[in-house]
Every structure is written in structure tokens, then in C-alpha cells.
Amino acid sequence: MSAELPSAKTLPPLTPGTLYLVATPIGNLEDITLRALRVLRECDVIAAEDTRRTGQLLKHFEIAKPMVSYFAFNEAKRSEEILERLQRGEKVALVTDAGTPGISDPGERVVRAAVAAGLRVESVPGPCALVAALTASGLPTDEFHFIGFLPHKSGQRRKALEALKTFAGTLALYESPYRIEKLLSELHEVFPTRTVVLARELTKKFEEFLRGTPAELLALVAKRSLKGEFVVLVNGEAEAEADREKNTNSGSVQ
Ligand code: SAM
């Protein structure tokens, strides 16, 4: 089977009345795609989570385009405004602060509103912290559960983790740097023997993958203060079970 490689000449112009979900870099500006740049250049307006932040990205790529914020004051009202533009036939590029719009960010609400209104939504895929972390983690990728951010309240967090105790695949979470120690303590309580991977500062200068049990990673965090952005992955129950069996078997041989 031969996949046709389209040249820039054969690419159709943007479609009027379409909401383009444009993924943007999660750190390394080289990760912007050629298509993302074209859509940002050719759209009528860019709907941004934070116009100041997106302004910096546009400046870097020398793109001058009007922007509207869909988040700053009143997300619901702003979503409506975007829908009105689409209904008038405008081509709207939606970007969030980083990564793929709609993954644990306010892009989701705009997309749902556009789909509910019967409007055309197109994906312009690119960077996503979840995918970058999971694929390089060394943990199984065939089955995974993405949780995004846990709730803030301790009881609810604990409950959410407990509910995933028997999930066979890899668990993936987003966490703020301010709560990473808290999360590791919670993981220690619920999943003490599992391998956890901290994917830190992906695509940036200090990118690293830290692997260990929650207790080992807590000890590390106590020694070095870990700053930056994190995706946290937890080895699934299926692998943990296989490890337990291996240990039991090797124990019986000795
Ligand atoms: N839509 C984004 C995506 O596609 O990944 C995620 C937006 S969410 C508001 C931000 C969270 O993503 C951060 O708190 C962190 O957990 C994760 N994240 C974003 N960039 C990252 C990076 N460079 N390294 C590690 N985690 C990152």
C-alpha cells in the first residue's frame, strides 16, 4: 500500500466555517507542524486560551493574526462568540496554552459546543504531553487510562485512585509541580509496589524520566526539589500481577 505524500500545492485551502484544533508545542518550538503554521497563517481568527501566551508563539513564527480569548472572562460567552463566527463562515483556529486542544484544557468546551451546533471541526494534530510521556515511559501502551488532573480535595483524589486499583493497563495523570509530592504520597498509599514514571519537562532542556516505586521517587523528591511540568504514569495491575508471580516463582526456587 502506498501512501500519497501531498505537496503544499495539492493541499486544499482552509474550509470556511471550520473550527481547526491546532496543536502547539509543549516546550520545544521545533515541534510545531508545517500544517499548524499554515492553518495559523490562513485562518481568519485565532481563538486562544491566553492571547498573551499565544502571541509569543505567533511572534516567534512571524504570524500576524487577530486573536480572541475564549477563556479570560467568561468561557461560555466566549464559546458562543466563536460559534457565531463559524456560523458566519469564518475559519477559526483554536489553540490552547500548549499541546493538543481538548486534552485537559478549556478547548474541550468549545469543541463540544461546536459539534453540538453541527459545525465542522477539524484536527491539526501535533504535540501532546500524554502521548510523549506514555510512549517513552517504557510502560505498556496497548491499554492505558488517562485521568488528566485529579480533583483537588484529598478525599476525592484518594477515591479516584482507589477506583483504578484493578485497572490492568497503564494509568496516566497530569499534575502541577506544586502537588507532585502529595501525589506521590497518595500513590504510595494506594499503589506501593507499582513502578511509577515521572516524565518531567518533556521536549525541554531538562527533560527526564524518573522511574521507581512511589517511595523511591518520594526519597528522590526529598533530595532534589523537582520543578517544571510533569506527566505521571503508573504501571498497571496486569504487569504488577506478573511481577508478583515472577517474584513468588523465583522465591520458591531458592
Ligand atoms: N493540552 C495539553 C496536552 O496536549 O498535553 C495539556 C494541557 S494541561 C492544562 C497542562 C498539563 O500537561 C501540565 O500540568 C502537565 O501535567 C502536562 N504537561 C504539559 N506540558 C508538559 C511538558 N512539557 N512536560 C511534562 N508535562 C507537561
Side-chain angles (χ1 to χ4, degrees), residues 58-73:
L58 296 182
K59 193 167 164 219
H60 179 85
F61 291 106
E62 298 179 349
I63 297 172
K65 191 63 64 177
M67 278 190 283
V68 288
S69 159
Y70 58 86
F71 192 54
F73 309 109

Side-chain angles (χ1 to χ4, degrees), residues 180-209:
I180 200 74
E181 212 170 330
K182 178 178 164 70
L183 176 61
L184 286 172
S185 303
E186 291 161 336
L187 292 177
H188 178 59
E189 283 170 27
V190 183
F191 306 106
T193 58
R194 303 265 186 104
T195 297
V196 171
V197 179
L198 296 184
R200 187 174 88 88
E201 292 286 87
L202 292 162
T203 78
K204 302 184 199 175
K205 190 172 173 192
F206 296 109
E207 168 172 326
E208 61 180 343
F209 286 83

